[in-house]
C-alpha cells in the first residue's frame, strides 16, 4: 500500500489547509507568490467545498477547482485533495431532513455550521459517495494530486431513527441473539430485559442513570458507523488512485473514535494539534499527542495535519503564540516523528465562524510577525528536513492506552467523577517526559516484546487477552508499572471477582483489595516520601510482595501505597508529579532502559530521531546544556563543543561528530 513516505520523498512537507473559495481569484496568485516565499510544499484543498462543487443537487461545478489544481502544479505545490463530506450543503438537509443528526433528546442539529450529517443515513451516504466518485474520477490523473484527505475530524454522534436501526443491526452482528445481549448488558438490573430487537434503542435521555454497558456499546457502534463512512469514501478514491495514500485527520485524544482501529485503515496517520500557549504543560501535552500518533502509525512517519500559527478562536480567551513558540512546537513534532507539518489555515479568513482563528498569513499580512516566522520555519524545514525525514524515534517504554477502556471507565455512577482517563494518561506521560524517557503508546493486546518497560496509567476494563499479555510481558523479563483502578472490569463492563482480576492480583502481589478510597479534589494522602492525590486503595499484600511506599496516617495507615512483586509494580494513588517522575525513572533504570541525557535543565526536552539529537527548550530564560563531545547544529551551521546555550524557546538539531563515552 502507498504511504506518507511516497509523498514526502525524503523531505518534510510544509503547508496547510487552503480555502481559496473564500477569496476572489486575483488573491489566489498573490497566495502562490507568498507560498513560494514560505517554501510551502503542500496544501489541502476542498475540505468544506461541497456546496461550491454541488450548488444544487446533481449539479457539478469543477471549473474553479480545475484552475486551482493547475495553479498549484504550475508552482510545484502538491495537493492533498479532500472529500468535502464533513459539511453537507444546506440543500441536502432541506430536501432530506433525515440526513440531519439528532441529539440524545431527539432534537435535530441543523445546517448552518459543519459536521451536520447523520452517519447512518442512507441518503447522506449515497450523496457523499456520489460527490466523492466524481471528484476522484476528475482528478485521479492530475499531476498536482499527491494524497487524499477523507472528510474532516469525524466526530458526529446521532441518536436518530436510522442510527437506531443501524445500532440494532450492529448489536445483532456482535451478540447474535437477545439472550446474549441481555447478559452482556446486565439487563436484569432494574428489570430492563429486552424481549424484541425493536425495543432496543440508542441510549437516549432517561429518567435516571443509563445502563453503562449500553452506553459503551453505543460508543463502539458510533466509532464503527463513522468508520463505515470513511471506508466507503476511501475505497472510492483508492479505486481511481491506488498509488496514492489516503488519510483522515484525528483530533487528539478524541473519545469518539477507536484510534487504533481507525489508524489501521489509513495509509498515512494524521492529527490536528492545538495546545494552549498559556498552558505551562502544553509542550508535554503536544509530546503525548505526537507519541500517540506516531505509535498509531506503527512507529513510522506521521502527519501534523493542522496546528495554529497563532491564536485559535474557540477557547474562552484565545491567546496568541509568543515569538518563537510556533517554531519550537513545529520542530518538536518533527523530532517526534512527523514528516509533514501543516496548519489550519493558509490565509486567515475575513468572514465566518473562524475569522479570529489564525492563519499562516494573518490579518497583518506579509509584513506581520506570524508570516515572518512562517517564512523562517519553511526555510529551515527545507534545509534540514532531508536530514531527518523517514527516520524513526527509538523507545524502550510503552504506555498502554485503549479507547474502549476509556469509554467504559467514564460511565455515570463510578466511585469518583474526578477520575478521568485522559488526565491520568497525561499525568503519567508527563512524568516520563520530564525524565526524558522516550515512550511509544500501545494497545494492551499489542505485542509488547520490543519494550523493556510497560506503563499502564489506568485501564479500567481489560479483556482476558490483554491481561494475559501483561502477565506474559513480566514472565518474559519485562517490567510493568501499573496505576490504580485497572483491570476492574471485563470487556462487557462486568466487575471482575475481587474488584481486580485475580491474575493481576497475583502479578502485583495483592492478596485482597478491600475498598477503593477515592479522594476529594483538595484531599491528599501522606505516603513514604511523597504525597498522593485523587485516589487511594485499601490493599492487603501477599507474602511475596514488597511495600515500596506505605500510607502514613488516616484510615490506610501502614497499608501499601506502592507495591511490587519482582518486576511488577502497582501504584494505588497518584503521586505528586516529581514523585511519579522519580518512581518511573527508578523502575526504568532497574528495567535496563537506556538512561536519559544527564544534567538537562528543567524544561529542556531531548529527543533522538535517527542519527540526530533534538534539544527543545520550553522555557524563557537562557540555560546551558552539557554536551559531551563535538556536535554540529544543523539549524545554525555552528560546531558545538562541550555545552550549548539555549535561549527562549530555542531549538537545536545536532549531529554528533564523534561518539565519546558518556555522550548524550
Amino acid at each position: 500500500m502507498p504511504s506518507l513516505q511516497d509523498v514526502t520523498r525524503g523531505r518534510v512537507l510544509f503547508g496547510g489547509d487552503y480555502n481559496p473559495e473564500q477569496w476572489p481569484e486575483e488573491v489566489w496568485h498573490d497566495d502562490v507568490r507568498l507560498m513560494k516565499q514560505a517554501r510551502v510544499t503542500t496544501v489541502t484543498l476542498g475540505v468544506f467545498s461541497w456546496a461550491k462543487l454541488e450548488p444544487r443537487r446533481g449539479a457539478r461545478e469543477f471549473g474553479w477547482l480545475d484552475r486551482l489544481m493547475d495553479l498549484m502544479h504550475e508552482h510545484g505545490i502538491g495537493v492533498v485533495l479532500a472529500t468535502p463530506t464533513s459539511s453537507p450543503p444546506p440543500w441536502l438537509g432541506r430536501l432530506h431532513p433525515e440526513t440531519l443528526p439528532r441529539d440524545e433528546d431527539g432534537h435535530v442539529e441543523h445546517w448552518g455550521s459543519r459536521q451536520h450529517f447523520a452517519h447512518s443515513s442512507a441518503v447522506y451516504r449515497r450523496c457523499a459517495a456520489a460527490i466523492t466518485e466524481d471528484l476522484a474520477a476528475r482528478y485521479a490523473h492530475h499531476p498536482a494530486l499527491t494524497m487524499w484527505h477523507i472528510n474532516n475530524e469525524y466526530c458526529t454522534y446521532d441518536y436518530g431513527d436510522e442510527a437506531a436501526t443501524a445500532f440494532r443491526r450492529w448489536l445483532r452482528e456482535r451478540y447474535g441473539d437477545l439472550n446474549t445481549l441481555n447478559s452482556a448488558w446486565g439487563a436484569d438490573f432494574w428489570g430492563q430485559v429486552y424481549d424484541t430487537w425493536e425495543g432496543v434503542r440508542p441510549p437516549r435521555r432517561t429518567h435516571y442513570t443509563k445502563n453503562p454497558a449500553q452506553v459503551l456499546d453505543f460508543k463502539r457502534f458510533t466509532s464503527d458507523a463513522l468508520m463505515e463512512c470513511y471506508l466507503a469514501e476511501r475505497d472510492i478514491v483508492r479505486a481511481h488512485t491506488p498509488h496514492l495514500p489516503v488519510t483522515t485527520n484525528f483530533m487528539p485524544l478524541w473519545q469518539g473514535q477507536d484510534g487504533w482501529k481507525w489508524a489501521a485503515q489509513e495509509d498515512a496517520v494524521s492529527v490536528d494539534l492545538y495546545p494552549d500557549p498559556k498552558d505551562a504543560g502544553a509542550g508535554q501535552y503536544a509530546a503525548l499527542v505526537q507519541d500517540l500518533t506516531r505509535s498509531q502509525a506503527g512507529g513510522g512517519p506521521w502527519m501534523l495535519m493542522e496546528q495554529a500559527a497563532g491564536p485559535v478562536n474557540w477557547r474562552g480567551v484565545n491567546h496568541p503564540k509568543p515569538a518563537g513558540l510556533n517554531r519550537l512546537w513545529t520542530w518538536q513534532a518533527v523530532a517526534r516523528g512527523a514528516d509533514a507539518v501543516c496548519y489550519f489555515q493558509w490565509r486567515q479568513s475575513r468572514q465566518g465562524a473562524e475569522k479570529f482563528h489564525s492563519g499562516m498569513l494573518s490579518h497583518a499580512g506579509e509584513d506581520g510577525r506570524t508570516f515572518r516566522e512562517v517564512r523562517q520555519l519553511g526555510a529551515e524545514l527545507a534545509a534540514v528536513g532531508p536530514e531527518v525525514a523517514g527516520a524513526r524515534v527509538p523507545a524502550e517504554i510503552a504506555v498502554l492506552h485503549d479507547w474502549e477502556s476509556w469509554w467504559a471507565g467514564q460511565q455515570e455512577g463510578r466511585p469518583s467523577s474526578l477520575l478521568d482517563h485522559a488526565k491520568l494518561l497525561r499525568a503519567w506521560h508527563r512524568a516520563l517526559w520530564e525524565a526524558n524517557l522516550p515512550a511509544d503508546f500501545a494497545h494492551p493486546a499489542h505485542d509488547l516484546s520490543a519494550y523493556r518497560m510497560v506503563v499502564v496509567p489506568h485501564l479500567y476494563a481489560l479483556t482476558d487477552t490483554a491481561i494475559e499479555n501483561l502477565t506474559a510481558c513480566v514472565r518474559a523479563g519485562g517490567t510493568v508499572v501499573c496505576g490504580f483502578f485497572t483491570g476492574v472490569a471485563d470487556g462487557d463492563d462486568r466487575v471482575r471477582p475481587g474488584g481486580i482480576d485475580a491474575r493481576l492480583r497475583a502479578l502485583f502481589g495483592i492478596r485482597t483489595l478491600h475498598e477503593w478510597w477515592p479522594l476529594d479534589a483538595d484531599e491528599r494522602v501522606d505516603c513514604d516520601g511523597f504525597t498522593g492525590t485523587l485516589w487511594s486503595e485499601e490493599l492487603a499484600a501477599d507474602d511475596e510482595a514488597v511495600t515500596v511506599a506505605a500510607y502514613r496516617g488516616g484510615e490506610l495507615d501502614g497499608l501499601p501505597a506502592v507495591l511490587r512483586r519482582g518486576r511488577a509494580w502497582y501504584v494505588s494513588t497518584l503521586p505528586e508529579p516529581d514523585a511519579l517522575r522519580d518512581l518511573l525513572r527508578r523502575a526504568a533504570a532497574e528495567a535496563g532502559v537506556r538512561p536519559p541525557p544527564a544534567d538537562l535543565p528543567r524544561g529542556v526536552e531531548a529527543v533522538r530521531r535517527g542519527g540526530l539529537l533534538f534539544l527543545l527548550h520550553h522555557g524563557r530564560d537562557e540555560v546551558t546544556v552539557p554536551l559531551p563531545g563535538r556536535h554540529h547544529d544543523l539549524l545554525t551551521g555552528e560546531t558545538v563543543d562541550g555545552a550549548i546555550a539555549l535561549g527562549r524557546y530555542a531549538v537545536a538539531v545536532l549531529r554528533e561528530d564523534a561518539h565519546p563515552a558518556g555522550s548524550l
Side-chain angles (χ1 to χ4, degrees), residues 341-353:
V341 284
C342 302
Y343 292 83
F344 182 85
Q345 57 182 328
W346 161 251
R347 182 183 284 270
Q348 190 168 11
S349 300
R350 291 182 61 195
Q351 292 181 291

Side-chain angles (χ1 to χ4, degrees), residues 190 204-210 412:
W190 284 346
R204 295 166 178 161
R205 186 166 300 281
T206 57
H207 186 69
Y208 191 46
T209 305
K210 297 174 184 177
E412 299 177 87

Side-chain angles (χ1 to χ4, degrees), residues 429-505:
H429 184 274
R430 173 185 172 183
L432 294 169
W433 183 78
E434 290 187 343
N436 272 289
L437 292 168
D440 291 337
F441 280 81
H443 185 277
H446 283 175
D447 180 5
L448 304 174
S449 60
Y451 300 101
R452 293 180 180 271
M453 187 166 93
V454 174
V455 174
V456 190
H458 166 62
L459 287 174
Y460 161 78
L462 285 173
T463 64
D464 289 342
T465 300
I467 292 170
E468 292 296 337
N469 203 32
L470 281 175
T471 57
C473 174
V474 176
R475 286 197 302 271
T479 293
V480 171
V481 185
C482 182
F484 52 79
F485 209 54
T486 289
V488 173
D490 63 15
D492 289 330
D493 193 26
R494 184 181 292 106
V495 174
R496 301 273 189 180
I500 179 173
D501 186 84
R503 290 160 291 185
L504 293 181
R505 293 201 304 272

Side-chain angles (χ1 to χ4, degrees), residues 313-569:
N313 73 307
W314 39 265
R315 293 189 174 100
V317 177
N318 295 289
H319 300 281
K321 290 182 175 178
L325 190 59
N326 176 44
R327 175 176 179 263
L328 172 68
W329 285 354
T330 300
W331 276 112
Q332 183 190 40
V334 174
R336 291 183 177 267
D339 271 7
V341 284
C342 302
Y343 292 83
F344 182 85
Q345 57 182 328
W346 161 251
R347 182 183 284 270
Q348 190 168 11
S349 300
R350 291 182 61 195
Q351 292 181 291
E354 293 183 318
K355 57 183 172 289
F356 296 114
H357 189 296
S358 60
M360 300 169 75
L361 184 65
S362 72
H363 292 313
E366 61 184 292
D367 293 327
R369 173 173 67 84
T370 296
F371 185 69
R372 291 201 307 269
E373 291 185 352
V374 163
R375 195 167 50 207
Q376 176 196 355
L377 186 55
E380 290 179 346
L381 290 168
V384 178
E387 298 273 355
V388 68
R392 298 175 79 90
V393 179
E396 297 178 295
I397 299 172
V399 179
L400 299 194
H401 168 61
D402 176 27
W403 270 269
E404 292 201 13
S405 179
W406 184 6
W407 296 336
Q410 293 302 110
Q411 64 189 264
E412 299 177 87
R414 61 191 188 274
S416 172
S417 62
L418 301 177
L419 191 60
D420 182 282
H421 176 92
K423 290 181 179 179
L424 279 172
L425 201 65
R426 185 170 176 177
W428 282 67
H429 184 274
R430 173 185 172 183
L432 294 169
W433 183 78
E434 290 187 343
N436 272 289
L437 292 168
D440 291 337
F441 280 81
H443 185 277
H446 283 175
D447 180 5
L448 304 174
S449 60
Y451 300 101
R452 293 180 180 271
M453 187 166 93
V454 174
V455 174
V456 190
H458 166 62
L459 287 174
Y460 161 78
L462 285 173
T463 64
D464 289 342
T465 300
I467 292 170
E468 292 296 337
N469 203 32
L470 281 175
T471 57
C473 174
V474 176
R475 286 197 302 271
T479 293
V480 171
V481 185
C482 182
F484 52 79
F485 209 54
T486 289
V488 173
D490 63 15
D492 289 330
D493 193 26
R494 184 181 292 106
V495 174
R496 301 273 189 180
I500 179 173
D501 186 84
R503 290 160 291 185
L504 293 181
R505 293 201 304 272
L507 180 69
F508 299 121
I510 300 170
R511 186 176 71 243
T512 308
L513 169 63
H514 293 291
E515 289 287 353
W516 299 296
W517 286 76
L519 305 176
D520 291 325
D522 58 352
E523 192 175 2
R524 302 289 184 268
V525 286
D526 291 328
C527 307
D528 290 328
F530 66 90
T531 299
T533 66
L534 187 65
W535 193 267
S536 57
E537 292 179 346
E538 186 179 352
L539 300 173
D542 67 23
D543 293 338
E544 298 184 34
V546 174
T547 298
V548 178
Y551 292 107
R552 295 303 175 193
E555 295 289 340
L556 306 183
D557 184 48
L559 297 180
V562 179
L563 193 65
R564 69 178 295 187
R565 184 175 183 269
R567 292 180 174 269
W569 301 62

Side-chain angles (χ1 to χ4, degrees), residues 2-66:
S3 69
L4 180 60
Q5 287 176 279
D6 295 323
V7 180
T8 58
R9 297 175 183 171
R11 56 189 174 149
V12 173
L13 297 182
F14 184 59
D17 277 29
Y18 184 33
N19 299 289
E21 61 268 32
Q22 301 175 12
W23 304 89
E25 288 201 30
E26 56 265 25
V27 176
W28 302 357
H29 295 275
D30 198 46
D31 283 333
V32 169
R33 175 183 68 84
L34 295 172
M35 286 179 186
K36 298 295 288 183
Q37 285 187 20
R39 309 290 185 95
V40 166
T41 59
T42 184
V43 295
T44 300
L45 288 176
V47 175
F48 301 116
S49 64
W50 193 344
K52 184 81 168 177
L53 295 168
E54 188 176 7
R56 298 165 306 283
R57 178 151 194 181
R60 293 290 185 267
E61 294 189 4
F62 288 120
W64 65 276
L65 188 53
D66 291 346

Side-chain angles (χ1 to χ4, degrees), residues 599-615:
D599 301 322
L600 284 180
R602 195 173 188 90
V604 174
E605 174 184 4
V607 185
R608 291 188 179 276
R609 185 178 179 193
L612 301 179
L613 174 67
F614 291 76
L615 295 179

